[in-house]
Amino acid sequence: MLGERSKTVLARDGAPRNGGSLVYADGEMAACIREFAWERTSVGAMAAWPDTLVGAVNLVLETHFPTVLLWGPELVVMYNDAYMPFMAEKHPRLLGQPGQTVWSEAWHIIGPKLEATFARGERFYLENQLIPVVRQGVLKDVYWTYGYSPIRDAAGTICGVMAIAQDVTEKLAAERERDEIAASLKHV
């Protein structure tokens, strides 16, 4: 199976078939990231990206779990295909923007933890947390289970943050409904 996968990634001469890009993944976000004008951001031109960023971007793009990469002191946002639905109407317009711009409506909640991860390497795992986000132009109550981890270069310097998240709003609503039905059945 690994041999089959490598055939789809490598050309006959063993070189990656990605048009010379440092981004090897397939998918909509991989294409968006390859085509984005990174030189207009604090991240800089893709050709000059450090190995740590290249590896982190490819790791995030290859996972099927909703994942965001926030890079540098501005916490510039990149995300994978699985995270696109969570971006709603912000996709792809806010790709490459600072995290504070992308999630301005919730920055007072998520910003301090993201900044603590970037500045001090603090890690977070939080379950069923209310973090309101804008969807269809309206601020909506959304519950998340998520974690933040620092991304370090070979010298141990923190260069970014990886955020893995799951929208658990529907799951929690179903659990509440189940509990209400169970409680009402006890009285029958």
Side-chain angles (χ1 to χ4, degrees):
M1 185 155 136
L2 184 57
E4 292 173 19
R5 172 74 177 133
S6 65
K7 289 177 189 170
T8 64
V9 174
L10 302 176
R12 285 188 206 159
D13 62 359
R17 288 191 294 192
N18 61 355
S21 172
L22 298 173
V23 175
Y24 300 100
D26 293 326
E28 182 177 337
M29 286 312 303
C32 286
I33 288 171
R34 275 192 290 275
E35 295 165 8
F36 192 82
W38 293 105
E39 62 277 1
R40 295 182 189 160
T41 72
S42 61
V43 175
M46 188 181 290
W49 283 4
D51 289 344
T52 304
L53 176 55
V54 172
V57 167
N58 283 294
L59 176 69
V60 165
L61 291 172
E62 293 285 2
T63 184
H64 290 288
F65 207 82
T67 307
V68 178
L69 170 65
L70 301 108
W71 192 258
E74 291 185 349
L75 299 170
V76 174
V77 172
M78 300 177 211
Y79 50 95
N80 64 9
D81 286 1
Y83 198 85
M84 287 181 344
F86 300 158
M87 291 296 286
E89 65 264 23
K90 295 177 182 181
H91 168 73
R93 178 176 51 86
L94 293 181
L95 173 68
Q97 298 300 309
Q100 188 169 3
T101 301
V102 174
W103 297 291
S104 59
E105 71 275 18
W107 196 252
H108 63 286
I109 300 169
I110 65 173
K113 289 178 181 65
L114 283 167
E115 290 166 351
T117 302
F118 185 78
R120 297 183 299 281
E122 293 182 32
R123 297 178 311 248
F124 294 92
Y125 175 77
L126 300 144
E127 293 183 319
N128 307 330
Q129 300 293 303
L130 173 62
I131 302 174
V133 293
V134 174
R135 292 192 176 157
Q136 290 106 28
V138 177
L139 190 63
K140 297 193 177 194
D141 285 348
V142 181
Y143 289 85
W144 302 90
T145 292
Y146 63 99
Y148 297 150
S149 304
I151 299 171
R152 298 177 187 269
D153 65 13
T157 303
I158 299 169
C159 305
V161 176
M162 183 172 65
I164 299 172
Q166 188 66 49
D167 178 344
V168 295
T169 308
E170 289 182 17
K171 175 186 166 240
L172 292 177
E175 288 173 359
R176 276 192 295 270
E177 183 178 349
R178 178 202 62 207
D179 293 347
E180 289 171 6
I181 291 170
S184 67
L185 288 175
K186 284 182 182 179
H187 298 296
V188 172

